[in-house]
């Protein structure tokens, strides 16, 4: 390659690397900005449920980042480690018998990566369950999946939040799986011969 | 005035020369090849585990995350793509999945490495886009990032079937792989991407309370659903918890600066082994912890990688396709590039 051509190649590649890395930087930056606004909703008087707009540079980069799967933050236990979310289910089979279960389930979901995928299903239910009119419900979808898997008559699916124990709790002899640390979050019920779902609010 | 202009000109010339050394020096592809093996194995294992729930997650009908759920406004943008959406029947899905596993296996052993790295990236992104949001997590981000950059360099130049076949075709007398600008570019992009990941991982923690008050490590180990090793004995040692919490945040925040300093680099990388090893052992995310460590491998010198591979395979490294034996020239270049 002649020096002139190599110079031109280097210039083009340098611009490409810079633009690419700017995109890689912009993605978590945008996520952090939105998270900061979300955390300060009350102080900034942003109503709960109102979407935080995407910064303009993120909007510009969105096609590139989405296509390459680079459009994400890297929080990893940030801003704070919080409680886990689980899903309890009751499946009523056609003969009337019932199956009770919870996912994720360390005994059922082996190996650990498989367990983690099911854990994410329970954790990310809020992400797949957008609250707007006409939206497909994530909870209903999960319930319909179980209905199909077991060829069942009815499925009741209930969200559960598992609160974290404090160091003082543990020193006092409390266990991490203390029944009092599980809080019911509300349920949905789907039936094989009916469309839609019935929602049961948390008690 | 002339002196000032000359000094600015010298500075700019130095910057350009440094930029050229950083990006366009040719380096021994040993590090990139080692990353190919590890990332290939991780991609293979990640997708092998999907085999257990293939229809449940990727099936066209009655899956956990059907298309109408993910395609609705506010969940996916129009630019999120996956070839898995076009696969309609369980039989086709199984066939496509087996093909995907074959691609990851071939990438790992380094057969038609460049082609396999492109296919591996397309497959990995398709799988994660199909289950996002709903069942993705950090492992998928790192897997796809590594697959993306493996496409850019000659990741099959060393420790590969490609190399072995080329040697056979040459009657066993194959010259060592040439130092490569592509290998350098791929390694540089992984390095810088890792720096951005750690920087934002640290910055995002500063938005919380528990990473400031020193209790975040407690709240992580007290999470039963993550727990794979009971660390609740830490309740008796709040100072240790606070130390672990603060060291984690500072390590993440300053990784992107200190890892470029030759003296600090081994310490920073040892920090990665401790942090990610801890996450793997205590918080049950073995795959994620290992994937992050594979990303950190980009900071290992080719010389070190060859020494380790030589130890593991009990060879002196020459049989593994050592790049340009007259090492001084290469070493000078690769050190300059580091």
């Amino acid at each position: 390659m002649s020096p002139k051509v190599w110079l031109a190649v280097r210039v083009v590649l340098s611009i490409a690397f810079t633009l690419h890395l700017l995109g890689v930087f912009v993605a978590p930056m945008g996520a952090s900005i939105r998270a900061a606004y979300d955390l300060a909703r009350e102080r900034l008087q942003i109503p709960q449920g109102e979407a935080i707009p995407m910064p303009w540079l993120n909007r510009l980069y969105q096609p590139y980042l989405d296509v390459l799967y680079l459009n994400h933050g890297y929080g990893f236990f940030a801003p704070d480690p919080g409680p886990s979310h689980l899903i309890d289910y009751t499946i009523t089979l056609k003969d009337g018998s019932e199956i009770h279960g919870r996912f994720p389930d360390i005994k059922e979901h082996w190996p650990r990566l498989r367990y983690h995928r099911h854990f994410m299903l329970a954790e990310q239910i809020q992400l797949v369950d957008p609250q707007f009119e006409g939206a497909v419900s994530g909870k209903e979808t999960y319930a319909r999946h179980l209905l199909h898997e077991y060829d069942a008559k009815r499925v009741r699916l209930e969200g559960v939040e598992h609160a974290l124990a404090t160091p003082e709790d543990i020193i006092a002899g409390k266990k991490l799986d203390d029944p009092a640390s599980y809080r019911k979050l509300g349920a949905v019920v789907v039936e094989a011969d009916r469309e839609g779902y019935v929602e049961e609010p948390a008690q | 005035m002339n002196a000032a202009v000359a000094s600015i000109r010298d500075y700019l010339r130095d910057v350009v020369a440094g930029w050229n050394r950083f990006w366009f020096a040719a380096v021994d592809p040993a590090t990139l090849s080692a990353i190919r093996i590890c990332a290939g194995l991780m991609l293979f294992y990640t997708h092998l585990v999907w085999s257990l729930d293939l229809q449940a997650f990727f099936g066209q009908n009655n899956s956990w995350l059907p298309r109408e759920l993910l395609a609705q406004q506010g969940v996916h943008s129009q630019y999120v793509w996956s070839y898995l959406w076009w696969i309609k029947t369980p039989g086709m899905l199984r066939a496509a999945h087996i093909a995907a596993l074959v691609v990851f296996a071939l990438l790992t052993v380094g057969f038609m490495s460049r082609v396999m790295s492109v296919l591996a990236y397309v497959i990995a992104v398709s799988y994660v886009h199909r289950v996002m949001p709903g069942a993705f997590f950090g492992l998928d981000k790192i897997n796809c990032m590594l697959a993306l950059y493996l496409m850019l360099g000659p990741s099959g130049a060393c420790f590969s079937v490609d190399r072995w076949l080329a040697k056979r075709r040459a009657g066993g007398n194959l010259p060592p792989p040439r130092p490569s600008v592509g290998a350098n570019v791929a390694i540089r992009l992984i390095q810088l991407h890792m720096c951005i990941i750690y920087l934002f991982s640290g910055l995002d923690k500063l938005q919380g309370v528990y990473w400031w008050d020193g209790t975040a490590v407690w709240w992580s180990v007290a999470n039963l659903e993550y727990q794979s090793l009971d660390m609740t004995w830490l309740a008796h040692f709040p100072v240790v918890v606070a130390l672990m919490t603060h060291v984690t945040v500072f390590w993440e925040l300053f990784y992107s600066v200190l890892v470029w300093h030759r003296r600090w680099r081994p310490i920073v990388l040892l920090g990665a082994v401790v942090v990610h090893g801890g996450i793997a052992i205590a918080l049950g995310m073995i795959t994620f912890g290992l994937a992050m460590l594979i990303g950190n491998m980009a900071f290992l010198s080719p010389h070190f990688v060859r020494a380790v591979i030589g130890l593991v395979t009990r060879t002196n490294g020459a049989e593994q396709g050592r790049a340009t034996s007259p090492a001084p020239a290469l070493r000078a270049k690769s050190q300059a590039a580091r």
Side-chain angles (χ1 to χ4, degrees):
Chain A
M1 200 182 291
S2 76
K4 273 190 179 172
V5 173
W6 179 225
L7 175 66
V9 169
R10 286 206 313 264
V11 169
V12 170
L13 288 177
S14 295
I15 293 168
F17 298 153
T18 307
L19 290 175
H20 168 77
L21 288 168
L22 180 63
V24 171
F25 187 89
V26 154
M29 184 77 182
S32 299
I33 291 169
R34 296 173 83 187
Y37 269 97
D38 200 34
L39 288 168
R41 267 179 193 278
E42 203 172 313
R43 184 161 51 85
L44 301 175
Q45 297 176 330
I46 303 170
Q48 287 297 331
E50 186 177 303
I52 309 286
M54 205 187 281
W56 70 269
L57 203 50
N58 288 76
R59 284 201 301 276
L60 189 70
Y61 260 107
Q62 189 183 13
Y64 180 74
L65 296 174
D66 278 353
V67 166
L68 293 185
Y69 185 56
L70 294 170
N71 205 1
H72 32 245
Y74 301 103
F76 307 145
F77 290 98
D80 279 319
S84 296
H85 295 91
L86 312 163
I87 291 181
D88 282 349
Y89 57 82
T90 303
I91 300 165
T92 309
L93 300 176
K94 286 182 176 156
D95 63 5
S97 60
E98 286 190 343
I99 299 170
H100 298 272
R102 167 175 286 176
F103 64 87
D105 180 347
I106 195 77
K107 289 179 191 140
E108 185 190 348
H109 301 129
W110 184 91
R112 184 77 189 198
L113 177 55
R114 190 176 177 221
Y115 165 85
H116 211 78
R117 296 290 184 196
H118 286 83
F119 185 19
M120 291 301 105
L121 275 180
E123 277 289 334
Q124 294 176 18
I125 184 78
Q126 298 306 326
L127 295 175
V128 297
D129 212 1
Q131 301 296 311
F132 59 87
E133 206 171 320
V136 178
S137 158
K139 294 187 197 83
E140 182 193 359
T141 305
Y142 286 10
R144 293 246 168 240
H145 169 76
L146 290 173
L147 200 67
H148 172 78
E149 286 286 294
Y150 288 85
D151 191 21
K153 194 167 72 178
R154 178 179 188 271
V155 169
R156 182 174 185 275
L157 197 135
E158 184 161 43
V160 177
E161 187 174 87
H162 186 191
L164 301 173
T166 65
E168 293 75 25
D169 290 337
I170 298 298
I171 290 167
K174 194 175 163 184
K175 299 288 179 197
L176 293 182
D177 60 353
D178 187 302
S181 60
Y182 294 89
R183 184 168 70 93
K184 306 283 188 188
L185 297 176
V188 297
V189 176
V190 299
E191 294 184 0
D193 51 5
R194 266 194 214 161
E195 289 202 356
Y197 62 96
V198 176
E199 201 153 10
E200 295 176 4
Q203 290 167 359
Chain B
M1 185 65 183
N2 279 349
V5 171
S7 115
I8 290 169
R9 195 186 301 134
D10 285 349
Y11 168 75
L12 290 176
R13 196 176 291 142
D14 279 353
V15 168
V16 171
W19 177 272
N20 281 334
R21 274 199 310 276
F22 185 86
W23 286 108
F24 302 112
V27 300
D28 181 351
T31 302
L32 188 66
S33 299
I35 291 175
R36 183 206 78 237
I37 296 172
C38 299
L41 275 173
M42 185 55 75
L43 284 161
F44 181 80
Y45 178 73
T46 302
H47 291 79
L48 185 66
V49 172
W50 276 131
S51 311
L52 299 168
D53 297 295
L54 201 58
Q55 293 300 331
F57 280 92
F58 301 97
Q60 197 67 225
N61 301 311
N62 297 300
S63 69
W64 285 113
L65 302 160
R67 185 169 196 173
E68 57 271 25
L69 178 71
L70 298 185
Q72 66 191 347
Q73 185 194 351
V75 180
H76 267 182
S77 88
Q78 58 183 308
Y79 309 108
V80 170
W81 57 274
S82 170
Y83 68 78
L84 292 166
W85 294 125
W86 302 325
I87 295 179
K88 304 285 183 195
T89 65
M92 276 173 67
L93 182 59
R94 273 194 293 276
H97 186 64
I98 290 167
L101 292 177
V102 169
V103 166
F104 294 132
L106 292 179
L107 176 70
T108 306
V109 299
F111 179 71
M112 297 176 68
S113 308
R114 185 77 76 160
V115 175
M116 292 308 147
S117 60
V118 174
L119 292 176
Y121 174 69
V122 170
I123 293 166
V125 173
S126 287
Y127 271 69
V128 67
H129 275 168
R130 174 65 187 82
V131 295
M132 180 198 83
F136 79 112
F137 69 109
L139 169 68
D140 304 299
K141 299 175 186 178
I142 308 305
N143 270 346
C144 290
M145 181 269 281
L146 292 170
L148 171 67
Y149 298 130
L150 280 175
M151 292 193 296
L152 303 181
S155 66
C158 312
F159 325 127
S160 64
V161 172
D162 286 343
R163 172 83 191 160
W164 180 75
L165 288 174
K167 201 171 177 180
R168 262 188 59 167
R169 279 195 295 271
N173 195 19
L174 186 69
R178 282 185 304 181
S180 156
V181 174
N184 185 35
V185 165
I187 289 291
R188 290 304 191 198
L189 287 168
I190 297 174
Q191 289 174 336
L192 289 164
H193 204 131
M194 291 301 292
C195 286
I196 291 172
I197 289 172
Y198 284 123
L199 177 64
F200 279 97
S201 187
L203 288 174
D204 283 359
K205 287 178 173 65
L206 298 184
Q207 292 185 343
V209 174
Y210 298 145
W211 292 101
W212 280 107
D213 77 1
T215 61
V217 165
W218 168 260
W219 299 116
S220 304
V221 299
N223 189 314
L224 185 64
E225 283 66 40
Y226 275 105
Q227 186 189 80
S228 51
L229 180 69
D230 186 356
M231 299 286 286
T232 48
W233 52 268
L234 281 170
H236 298 276
F237 304 98
V239 175
V240 176
V241 170
L243 189 67
M244 289 165 78
T245 303
H246 294 313
V247 166
T248 302
V249 175
F250 279 98
W251 174 76
E252 286 188 337
L253 283 174
F254 291 103
Y255 178 100
S256 55
V257 176
L258 296 178
V259 78
W260 300 102
H261 193 285
R262 198 160 302 164
R263 294 233 169 96
W264 275 96
R265 183 177 293 184
I267 298 166
V268 172
L269 295 183
L270 188 65
V273 173
V274 172
V275 169
H276 297 301
I279 289 172
I281 293 166
L283 298 180
M285 288 189 285
I286 301 162
T287 44
F288 172 67
L290 288 176
M292 291 299 281
L293 289 177
I294 296 169
N296 275 281
M297 281 173 62
F299 287 100
L300 299 179
S301 75
H303 189 66
F304 180 80
V305 168
R306 284 189 182 283
V308 172
I309 299 244
L311 268 177
V312 172
T313 59
R314 296 185 181 180
T315 63
N316 63 7
E319 293 81 5
Q320 308 300 331
R322 187 187 193 118
T324 49
S325 284
L330 170 64
R331 223 171 279 155
K333 275 184 178 176
S334 78
Q335 280 180 358
R338 260 181 269 152

